Amino acid sequence: LGYLEILKSDPAEPDPMAIERMFLQARQMHDLLEDLLELARLENTDTEQSDDIAEVDIPVLLAQLSEQAEEVSQGQHKIVFKVQPGLNLHGAEADLKSAFQNLIVNSVNHTPAKGKITVTWQETRDGMELNVSDTGIGIPNRDIPRLTERFYRVGDDRNRKTGGTGLGLAIVKHVLQSHNARLEIKSELGKGSEFRCIFPLESKAQNPSKTI
């Protein structure tokens, strides 16, 4: 509002710095509203009764997110996707994409340049697992139990540098709960973090379609 008042009083001389700051703040507000709406929708949707439940081609979904991760990185990171072909899930595709996107983009944003992000999708003894690991800045142990709380911030300095709404992991938590899955987090300061989404075996698509 302050910047707009300046422009209103002297519209002939717009300040490029003021315009850039307004743009960044407006974009942050837009992202916050989008995440709030997404979280509200998830909290008020019974996934088990939803008409959106279908076979989700996870390898194709991850291929899309791989392209997005590269766009976010702008060539500053090494990003590796290891995807088991034909391993699909029964679930809500839009919700799964939202959860996976949050984890992958978070890892890119919290990993310094020249760091590495590895995304693995495979069947394990525990079930179907998405593993997102990075060589980023890490998270203090005391903060890990609270990461999925709304608006919880690990540190002001960390968030000033990377942005974010503080709702991404809350969205991930709701999506996984609605798919009877769980989230496990491991991290070490200065060495990186690992996020594991583990889906029950009964969620596996028994007759997966071919992935092109």
Side-chain angles (χ1 to χ4, degrees), residues 44-159:
N44 289 283
T45 298
D46 185 345
T47 301
E48 293 183 357
Q49 303 299 322
S50 174
D51 294 333
D52 295 331
I53 297 298
E55 180 181 335
V56 181
D57 193 327
I58 301 297
V60 167
L61 187 154
L62 290 174
Q64 296 169 357
L65 294 180
S66 174
E67 293 180 2
Q68 183 180 10
E70 293 289 355
E71 290 177 6
V72 174
S73 171
Q74 294 291 302
Q76 296 186 71
H77 307 87
K78 182 177 181 180
I79 301 176
V80 178
F81 275 69
K82 302 176 181 179
V83 180
Q84 181 176 330
L87 184 59
N88 296 347
L89 285 178
H90 284 295
E93 182 171 0
D95 294 351
L96 291 170
K97 183 175 183 179
S98 177
F100 293 179
Q101 176 181 293
N102 269 297
L103 290 175
I104 294 168
V105 172
N106 274 352
S107 282
V108 174
N109 285 337
H110 291 105
T111 300
K114 299 184 179 180
K116 182 178 180 180
I117 295 93
T118 304
V119 179
T120 304
W121 171 247
Q122 62 184 345
E123 184 173 354
T124 69
R125 290 182 300 175
D126 297 327
M128 280 71 67
E129 179 181 320
L130 179 81
N131 186 305
V132 181
S133 61
D134 60 58
T135 59
I137 58 181
I139 304 162
N141 285 333
R142 66 177 182 277
D143 292 306
I144 291 177
R146 301 189 61 188
L147 286 179
T148 57
E149 295 179 11
R150 289 187 181 199
F151 301 114
Y152 186 76
R153 300 285 191 170
V154 173
D156 290 340
D157 184 60
R158 172 192 176 103
N159 287 286

Side-chain angles (χ1 to χ4, degrees), residues 180-193:
N180 297 315
R182 69 182 190 273
L183 176 66
E184 295 183 357
I185 304 171
K186 295 180 181 178
S187 188
E188 187 174 349
L189 280 176
K191 293 190 176 180
S193 303

